[in-house]
Amino acid sequence: MRKTLLVTVAVCVSIVPFEVMSQAEPAPETEGPGDGVVEAILINEALQIMLRNIEASERESGEIDKLIRALSGVSIKDINEYGICGGQNSEVRKLFGSLCDDI
């Protein structure tokens, strides 16, 4: 079961950025010192977030809930309990603050 979820997540994560990047215009060539280091740090952070989301998805009950949690980091349980902005420590709730109370 876990292998299936990981494969599904890996496929989705690899396809979506590829589709978006293939439609984007190429960035201008502005290489400077440290550009590769910054890029490597950003990629590493993104991968760490993805891995934490996959680990957290194991706490969800249904397969669809697990997939949503793995791909987005959003817990369906928190959405059901607290609303669309999620729980008290949700990044969405931190970002939108009191606007989440009206939703």
Side-chain angles (χ1 to χ4, degrees), residues 22-99:
S22 65
Q23 297 171 3
E25 294 181 23
E29 297 294 325
T30 57
E31 288 197 29
D35 282 348
V37 173
V38 172
E39 185 176 293
I41 290 171
L42 290 174
I43 290 171
N44 183 45
E45 287 301 313
L47 289 173
Q48 293 302 316
I49 290 169
M50 287 172 34
L51 290 173
R52 286 193 301 267
N53 285 344
I54 291 170
E55 288 174 12
S57 72
E58 294 175 5
R59 295 190 298 263
E60 299 296 323
S61 58
E63 293 304 313
I64 299 296
D65 294 353
K66 289 179 182 187
L67 183 61
I68 291 171
R69 177 70 182 258
L71 293 175
S72 70
V74 177
S75 172
I76 299 302
K77 178 183 172 189
D78 285 344
I79 290 174
N80 288 334
E81 189 171 336
Y82 300 107
I84 194 70
C85 291
Q88 299 300 335
N89 293 322
S90 166
E91 294 301 323
V92 174
R93 187 170 296 280
K94 291 176 190 176
L95 181 63
F96 292 109
S98 62
L99 293 175

